[in-house]
Amino acid sequence: GEVGKALGLERRNQIAAATMRSALRVSQRAHRLRPQSAPGAPASVAEAARGALAAAVSSRAYHAPLREMNFLLYDVHNFEGHYKGLNEEVLTPCDRETVDMVVDATKTMCEDVLAPLNEGGDRVGSVWKDPNTVVTAPGFKDAYKMYAENGWQALSFPEQYGGQGLPMSLALVQSEMIAAANWTWLMFPGLSKGAINTIIAHGSEDLKDEWLPSLISGEMTGTMCLTEPQCGSDLGQVTTKAVPIDGAEGEYSISGTKIFISCGEHDMTDNIVHCVLARLPDAPAGTAGISLFLVPKRLKTGELNNLGTSRIEDKMGCHGSPTCQLEFEGAKGWLIGTPNRGLNHMFTFINTSRLGTAVQGIAAAELAFQNSLWYAKERRSMRSLSGSKEPDQVADAIIHQPSVRT
């Protein structure tokens, strides 16, 4: 009723204020976050690489295709009409003004902050220091702090846990832009969304109350820990153990090795929540005997849990995101959902990642098109078949060639 509308207006005003703050902070921090070397300072290999690519990256970066996006949002899919039909008792009212505010602020963040960090993320990458320390690429940590402070992680999660309650489809629109600007950076908050969705769907009320607010605020990030050295995609071979801790109801000791864990260790947040597949004592063989556990890097006391990163992979095209091998050595964890239903529960996380993979494909195609476009405008070869287009140049740009245009 009227109370709901008033609360919705108040929430929209909060979103508008956060969006304007985000745009301001993005513009203020953009230059500082660009990878570059200090003038006059002796350059290390990493500094030299960052300095050499700074000018090229800033001029060849991502530009949000707002005309095409607005056409799809409003003319093709009628987001405005669709959002009017949503249940305002469940979701925050979301009109065209709200959508435009989110899209415009995200555009600024992507173009001015995240895109200039993209190539440095691949060239410099993440660096393993010790089992509890992985240093992320230059600028990644500051960019994430800005993202979290402005409430972007909370955009489409329930208000009762600190979210803004806007539609999930709006968060996907935002993710598409961020993915094109800097995919490996997006993996950090993207994986957290999978952890949040999994805990919301299957966690106990105590787990939700204890962990969701910090994940939704961006104070913590999350990961998905499935496979092991002997498994590959055959998760029926999982051997990580979960043993009940005597005298501590609901707590388990988790031991085993997990591999290919994206964003498994980093310096963007102090704590990381791992969603871990493991076996209880006397569990059935195969996938029918797998359970799911919440295992944090740090306990609520701030004490480090008994887990660490033994190495990070050299993953082609994904150096900005640390792909980790995690060692759990009696780490404390809590059951998510029902015993021996862990793989079923984990599919909530997996399906979130599937959406992310679809977004990645669209984003890669968009960025490839943008990079190809400037190249086709600058690369010259022969004359156009329909007559010279640039007679004052040695040859016409290849964008005039039919085989390139099609």
Side-chain angles (χ1 to χ4, degrees), residues 74-401:
Y74 301 122
D75 295 336
V76 177
H77 298 299
N78 189 21
F79 266 44
E80 190 175 10
H82 171 66
Y83 285 161
K84 285 180 180 178
L86 299 180
N87 185 353
E88 293 186 1
E89 299 299 323
V90 178
L91 293 171
T92 298
C94 185
D95 57 13
R96 181 164 183 161
E97 183 180 356
T98 302
V99 175
D100 288 344
M101 285 188 297
V102 171
V103 170
D104 288 345
T106 303
K107 168 187 180 293
T108 305
M109 175 173 64
C110 289
E111 292 181 352
D112 291 349
V113 174
L114 297 178
L117 300 177
N118 190 25
E119 189 169 347
D122 192 57
R123 289 180 182 270
V124 180
S126 300
V127 180
W128 183 94
K129 294 291 187 181
D130 62 53
N132 300 118
T133 309
V134 170
V135 179
T136 52
F140 272 41
K141 183 177 180 179
D142 284 342
Y144 180 82
K145 181 180 179 182
M146 179 200 64
Y147 171 90
E149 285 178 350
N150 286 287
W152 291 126
Q153 185 71 334
L155 191 66
S156 295
F157 291 115
E159 292 187 66
Q160 73 179 101
Y161 301 115
Q164 297 181 32
L166 288 164
M168 187 63 73
S169 53
L170 182 57
L172 280 173
V173 172
Q174 182 183 66
S175 293
E176 181 184 329
M177 287 190 281
I178 298 175
N182 194 328
W183 170 254
T184 57
W185 183 91
L186 177 62
M187 291 178 70
F188 294 87
L191 283 160
S192 301
K193 292 180 179 182
I196 292 167
N197 289 337
T198 302
I199 295 169
I200 288 175
H202 308 292
S204 67
E205 293 305 314
D206 287 343
L207 280 184
K208 292 176 185 178
D209 292 340
E210 187 168 3
W211 298 100
L212 284 177
S214 294
L215 283 165
I216 288 173
S217 71
E219 179 185 349
M220 301 178 186
T221 59
T223 77
M224 173 172 54
C225 300
L226 288 84
T227 195
E228 300 173 7
Q230 76 284 355
C231 288
S233 58
D234 183 5
L235 295 177
Q237 297 184 47
V238 162
T239 59
T240 296
K241 297 179 180 179
V243 179
I245 298 175
D246 293 337
E249 185 177 355
E251 297 181 4
Y252 296 82
S253 174
I254 312 296
S255 298
T257 298
K258 294 293 183 179
I259 61 172
F260 306 145
I261 311 306
S262 298
C263 308
E265 178 57 62
H266 57 78
D267 59 358
M268 309 256 264
T269 59
D270 287 335
N271 207 356
I272 304 169
V273 173
H274 303 290
C275 294
V276 183
L277 293 181
R279 291 187 183 280
L280 291 165
D282 303 321
T287 56
I290 297 175
S291 299
L292 181 61
F293 298 87
L294 185 155
V295 186
K297 172 183 174 178
R298 292 183 183 272
L299 304 176
K300 283 294 185 174
T301 61
E303 177 187 1
L304 283 169
N305 209 348
N306 293 325
L307 64 97
T309 302
S310 54
R311 69 190 187 106
I312 57 176
E313 305 283 349
D314 182 12
K315 196 172 185 181
M316 185 176 67
C318 205
H319 298 143
S321 166
T323 305
C324 301
Q325 178 169 311
L326 296 183
E327 310 292 344
F328 296 85
E329 300 175 343
K332 186 176 290 186
W334 290 263
L335 182 69
I336 298 176
T338 305
N340 301 327
R341 297 280 294 172
L343 189 55
N344 304 71
H345 299 335
M346 188 64 101
F347 264 93
T348 299
F349 203 138
I350 293 169
N351 287 337
T352 302
S353 296
R354 284 171 168 167
L355 287 174
T357 302
V359 168
Q360 182 185 16
I362 295 171
E366 174 62 34
L367 192 59
F369 166 73
Q370 292 190 15
N371 287 332
S372 300
L373 181 61
W374 68 254
Y375 178 81
K377 288 180 176 180
E378 294 182 0
R379 175 73 167 88
R380 301 185 181 283
S381 181
M382 300 181 290
R383 294 296 180 187
S384 169
L385 295 179
S386 59
S388 178
K389 306 300 181 185
E390 300 168 279
D392 57 332
Q393 299 292 338
V394 66
D396 291 336
I398 64 172
I399 197 169
H400 299 297
Q401 301 292 347

